[in-house]
Amino acid sequence: MQKALCAALDLGAFVTVLTPPPGMQRGGRPPVLWPKQGCQDTENISSSRRRQRSKVPYVVRQCMEELELRGMEEVGIYRVSGVATDIQALKAAFDVNNKDVSVMMSEMDVDGIAGTLKLYFRELPEPLFTDEFYPNFSEGIALSDPVAKESCTLNLLLSLPEANLLTFLFLLDHLKSMAEKEAVNKMSLYNLTAVFGPTLLRPSEKESKLPANPSQPIIMTDSWSLEIMSQVQVLLYFLQLEAIPAPASKRQSIPFSTEV
């Protein structure tokens, strides 16, 4: 396998580039798009970026910023469910671009904000890692050769649409920060990946082993268990990498393969 020829870039240094421009700080009112059914996630995220003059959706940044202010030491953050009415109220506020959304978040329980962020990613009609690349990520993470695994998974990551990639890197840095407080919040990297892995990486409905609207209780099968495990492992792998190649390098169109 050809090794990826990408310049390493410190993730923390890269994410600082995503700081909102003037006029986009907490309390501003840039337009926001909540995922709309029937549209692909790339369309939603890209449109959001153009309209907001930001590469990361406003709802994502605002929720993360509030959680990093007040939720870093909350026990079970992201694992504990928020109040459903709070989550729906915050979603509605983002949906109509409510000017008081920042005030609403400052007065809301952090679990409700975490639940809103999870809901945003869950309601994307197509997951952040896209239907197209999902099977390749699953194959890449299963490679036994560590060099081949890193080359394959990083090339796949850099092949994602730019808006998806930048949003994922922003989330990645946020989750690493949360895990640094594991001694207090009890959320290790693995616990966080168990929450977000199946949301960011999931098969399309036609490929999924789960019914879209099950009429009977879902039975945990071996194939489904392996699928969930793979989703968790992909996210955990990226969280444990010390550096992620510069996104600009993806334009070099480096070939990748899941074959060793």
Side-chain angles (χ1 to χ4, degrees):
M1 168 179 286
Q2 182 176 353
K3 188 174 181 179
L5 305 175
C6 303
L9 177 69
D10 178 73
L11 183 58
F14 173 70
V15 174
T16 58
V17 178
L18 304 182
T19 302
M24 293 290 292
Q25 302 299 329
R26 186 181 304 277
R29 288 192 62 192
V32 60
L33 284 178
W34 192 270
K36 293 187 174 77
Q37 296 302 316
C39 301
Q40 294 207 343
D41 66 319
T42 303
E43 178 183 345
N44 282 296
I45 295 174
S46 297
S47 298
S48 181
R49 183 186 65 215
R50 288 195 300 270
R51 294 174 59 192
Q52 299 171 27
R53 294 173 295 132
S54 170
K55 294 181 182 297
V56 178
Y58 179 63
V59 59
V60 173
R61 289 188 293 104
Q62 288 294 91
C63 287
M64 288 184 189
E65 287 172 10
E66 191 65 33
L67 288 169
E68 289 173 8
L69 279 176
R70 300 193 291 118
M72 298 288 284
E73 298 184 354
E74 183 75 12
V75 175
I77 189 68
Y78 285 121
R79 187 181 65 226
V80 176
S81 299
V83 177
T85 52
D86 286 348
I87 294 172
Q88 290 303 319
L90 186 54
K91 172 187 173 180
F94 276 117
D95 228 359
V96 299
N97 193 29
N98 191 320
K99 65 179 180 180
D100 298 322
V101 68
S102 294
V103 175
M104 181 184 298
M105 283 198 299
S106 69
E107 298 174 348
M108 182 178 291
D109 183 80
V110 291
D111 289 324
I113 298 170
T116 303
L117 182 62
K118 291 188 294 182
L119 182 66
Y120 178 85
F121 285 116
R122 193 161 59 245
E123 289 195 347
L124 289 172
E126 185 181 41
L128 202 64
F129 277 51
T130 74
D131 292 338
E132 177 185 1
F133 290 117
Y134 173 76
N136 301 95
F137 278 109
S138 296
E139 293 173 5
I141 202 65
L143 293 173
S144 57
D145 184 282
V147 176
K149 179 185 292 188
E150 180 173 347
S151 177
C152 177
T153 54
L154 287 178
N155 273 299
L156 284 166
L157 184 67
L158 295 174
S159 297
L160 292 174
E162 183 183 23
N164 298 50
L165 173 60
L166 296 180
T167 299
F168 174 66
L169 292 178
F170 200 78
L171 174 63
L172 205 64
D173 190 62
H174 170 73
L175 295 179
K176 284 186 175 183
S177 297
M178 285 291 181
E180 289 175 359
K181 298 289 185 177
E182 177 188 354
V184 180
N185 62 32
K186 310 303 180 185
M187 292 301 287
S188 64
L189 285 179
Y190 183 82
N191 288 339
L192 291 166
T193 57
V195 172
F196 279 93
T199 298
L200 303 180
L201 298 106
R202 61 180 186 268
S204 61
E205 289 189 6
K206 65 179 181 179
E207 299 293 335
S208 178
K209 299 176 177 62
L210 295 178
N213 298 294
S215 56
Q216 300 294 329
I218 295 174
I219 299 175
M220 179 74 80
T221 62
D222 289 342
S223 59
W224 186 43
S225 298
L226 290 173
E227 192 169 275
I228 296 296
M229 187 182 300
S230 175
Q231 294 160 358
V232 170
Q233 287 176 339
V234 170
L235 181 54
L236 184 61
Y237 183 79
F238 287 124
L239 280 167
Q240 291 176 330
L241 283 180
E242 293 185 0
I244 301 289
S249 64
K250 76 181 208 138
R251 299 187 179 89
Q252 298 174 0
S253 301
I254 304 171
F256 64 84
S257 171
T258 55
E259 297 180 0
V260 180

